[in-house]
Every structure is written in structure tokens, then in C-alpha cells.
Amino acid sequence: MKFKTFPLLLLCLPALFTQCAINKRVVSNKDSNLVDSLLIIPVYSNISIVTKGDKVATSEMFSIDAEDLIEKQLKKYIPTTVSTKYLEQNDPLKPAVIPAYMKLIKSIKISLMPDSVKVPEEILIALDSLHQNYALFVYQYGFTRTVENFKNQYIKRRAINVTTLGIYNTVPNSSYSTMIAVLVDKNRKKISMYKELYWRNKNPIDEVVIGTQLRDIILTYFNSYK
């Protein structure tokens, strides 16, 4: 089985496996024009499975399944007034665009001023060559546990809670789904929208979970223009 090579960006692993807080980033730039056409960048998903302890292993099968579901759900939530063009999987621009978006996400995550982060040239070049003003990229990562693993981890942590008199009290997450969406404005060379959603105990390959996360991200942005 082949594993994907893009790194999970700045994950707080303790937060994924237990109930600790995570910093979020939200950017919504109202200076951009109304989006009437949109370039859809191929979705990227990195889903892991936990079978022993808290050790994760990327599942290519789950990742591909999640990507298929995201692409399917996207078509439901992008307004019909917006014409869409898809960057094909075999497009020669793709090898440069996907890493550029991952770099952009990382920059936004660590920036104190995320709305002013510079958009990589590779993204702007792709938009210009395809005669599009806006590009949307969706990145998802998360994990799911086997039933046996979750049961064992729950029992283990309950035992630790008892022996530490409640000082160390964590409940393992059975699963976790994080979704990030980035909308880039070519003309202004800025981010029009960036949003992260962190959902504990939600299966990242569940169609309802994926659809709801996309709905919250996409519709929230487009409805703000109504």
C-alpha cells in the first residue's frame, strides 16, 4: 500500500487524541468582488487509522474515499450562480499548485496576521493561465480508530484517572475530522476566505460529516454576500 507524502501540518497530536484546545484561523475578506466563476483545485485528504495505542498510519484507501466524498459534496453547496472549472488531475499545473496551497496553509497557521499572508506565485500563475479569478482548495485530515483500539484506550485511560484521583482525566477521541478551505483572489493577490473546522469524535470518512463541514464553510462564505 502506498502512503501519501504531504505532511500533516502543525497538528497538535495530543489535541487530536484527547480533549485539549486548538487555535483556529478564520479569514473572510469582504474587499473581494462577488465570486461568479471558480477554479476548483483537486481536493487533498490525509486520513489515518489508529490500530495500536495512539500510533497513526495514513490510509490511502480512506484518504481516496474522503476525497471522492468531498468532491461529490462540493457540487451540492457551491451556488448555482457560480460557474466552476476543475483543475484536472493530470493537468501539468497540479504538481506545483498543490504544494503551493499546502505552503499557504502552513503560512496562515503560523502567521499573527493571516489575512495578509502572501499568496504563492504558483497559484496565481495557474489562475492566470486558466483565465480564472478565484481558486478554491479543500484540505482535510483526521483519523479513525478501530473499535478494539478505542475500547482498549478508553479502559486504559479510565484506569489512569482512578489511580491519579482524577488529576489526569482524558477521554480518547474515537475519531477526528479537520477540514480547511482556502479561496484565493487572483486580481488582489490575496486570500478571500480561509476557514478551519475541527470536529472531535466525527468520522472523517462519513458522508454526513464531510457534507456538513463543507456546508458550514462554503455556504457561510457565499451567504455573507446576500
Side-chain angles (χ1 to χ4, degrees), residues 167-200:
I167 295 175
Y168 183 81
N169 184 15
T170 59
V171 177
N173 288 313
S174 61
S175 54
Y176 212 105
S177 180
T178 297
M179 188 172 289
I180 297 172
V182 193
L183 180 66
V184 167
D185 180 339
K186 180 197 71 175
N187 292 331
R188 300 184 69 251
K189 298 182 179 180
K190 295 191 70 173
I191 302 160
S192 286
M193 180 270 291
Y194 176 93
K195 191 170 183 180
E196 303 174 0
L197 289 179
Y198 298 92
W199 284 13
R200 297 184 179 96

Side-chain angles (χ1 to χ4, degrees), residues 51 71 81 106 190 200 207 221:
T51 58
E71 290 174 356
T81 54
K106 185 176 182 180
K190 295 191 70 173
R200 297 184 179 96
E207 186 169 3
Y221 178 79

Side-chain angles (χ1 to χ4, degrees), residues 8-53:
L8 296 182
L9 300 176
L10 302 177
L11 295 186
C12 170
L13 288 178
L16 288 179
F17 294 122
T18 59
Q19 309 271 341
C20 68
I22 302 179
N23 292 325
K24 297 183 180 181
R25 288 285 188 273
V26 177
V27 177
S28 186
N29 195 330
K30 302 306 179 188
D31 293 332
S32 294
N33 294 322
L34 181 66
V35 178
D36 56 7
S37 64
L38 187 61
L39 176 66
I40 308 294
I41 307 300
V43 172
Y44 175 59
S45 193
N46 192 317
I47 307 301
S48 299
I49 186 165
V50 184
T51 58
K52 184 177 181 180

Side-chain angles (χ1 to χ4, degrees), residues 27 64 87-88 112 150 158 190 194:
V27 177
I64 292 173
L87 182 67
E88 300 297 332
L112 296 177
F150 179 70
R158 287 291 295 173
K190 295 191 70 173
Y194 176 93

Side-chain angles (χ1 to χ4, degrees), residues 38 40 74-80 82 84 86 136 218 222:
L38 187 61
I40 308 294
L74 261 177
K75 296 175 182 177
K76 292 172 56 177
Y77 294 115
I78 294 177
T80 55
V82 178
T84 55
Y86 288 80
L136 176 68
I218 304 300
F222 283 100

Side-chain angles (χ1 to χ4, degrees), residues 5-223:
T5 56
F6 286 122
L8 296 182
L9 300 176
L10 302 177
L11 295 186
C12 170
L13 288 178
L16 288 179
F17 294 122
T18 59
Q19 309 271 341
C20 68
I22 302 179
N23 292 325
K24 297 183 180 181
R25 288 285 188 273
V26 177
V27 177
S28 186
N29 195 330
K30 302 306 179 188
D31 293 332
S32 294
N33 294 322
L34 181 66
V35 178
D36 56 7
S37 64
L38 187 61
L39 176 66
I40 308 294
I41 307 300
V43 172
Y44 175 59
S45 193
N46 192 317
I47 307 301
S48 299
I49 186 165
V50 184
T51 58
K52 184 177 181 180
D54 283 334
K55 295 180 179 179
V56 298
T58 300
S59 168
E60 183 179 32
M61 180 181 69
F62 285 171
S63 299
I64 292 173
D65 287 346
E67 288 172 358
D68 290 342
L69 288 171
I70 292 171
E71 290 174 356
K72 175 184 175 182
Q73 295 288 335
L74 261 177
K75 296 175 182 177
K76 292 172 56 177
Y77 294 115
I78 294 177
T80 55
T81 54
V82 178
S83 64
T84 55
K85 179 180 179 63
Y86 288 80
L87 182 67
E88 300 297 332
Q89 292 288 347
N90 60 354
D91 193 296
L93 293 168
K94 181 188 172 186
V97 171
I98 301 296
Y101 259 105
M102 299 301 282
K103 177 183 176 181
L104 177 60
I105 290 172
K106 185 176 182 180
S107 297
I108 294 169
K109 279 179 170 287
I110 64 177
S111 175
L112 296 177
M113 300 179 65
D115 56 342
S116 62
V117 170
K118 183 179 179 181
V119 175
E121 284 297 320
E122 294 88 346
I123 298 173
L124 300 176
I125 290 171
L127 278 163
D128 192 53
S129 65
L130 295 170
H131 309 292
Q132 297 290 314
N133 291 327
Y134 294 90
L136 176 68
F137 176 63
V138 177
Y139 169 53
Q140 180 205 29
Y141 61 85
F143 74 89
T144 183
R145 295 180 188 269
T146 62
V147 174
E148 186 68 20
N149 175 267
F150 179 70
K151 182 178 72 175
N152 291 340
Q153 288 299 302
Y154 184 84
I155 293 172
K156 176 183 177 181
R157 296 183 195 192
R158 287 291 295 173
I160 292 174
N161 178 37
V162 171
T163 57
T164 61
L165 301 178
I167 295 175
Y168 183 81
N169 184 15
T170 59
V171 177
N173 288 313
S174 61
S175 54
Y176 212 105
S177 180
T178 297
M179 188 172 289
I180 297 172
V182 193
L183 180 66
V184 167
D185 180 339
K186 180 197 71 175
N187 292 331
R188 300 184 69 251
K189 298 182 179 180
K190 295 191 70 173
I191 302 160
S192 286
M193 180 270 291
Y194 176 93
K195 191 170 183 180
E196 303 174 0
L197 289 179
Y198 298 92
W199 284 13
R200 297 184 179 96
N201 298 313
K202 297 296 183 182
N203 193 330
I205 55 174
D206 182 273
E207 186 169 3
V208 173
V209 172
I210 286 173
T212 307
Q213 286 187 310
L214 279 175
R215 182 194 66 195
D216 288 356
I217 291 172
I218 304 300
L219 292 189
T220 297
Y221 178 79
F222 283 100
N223 286 344

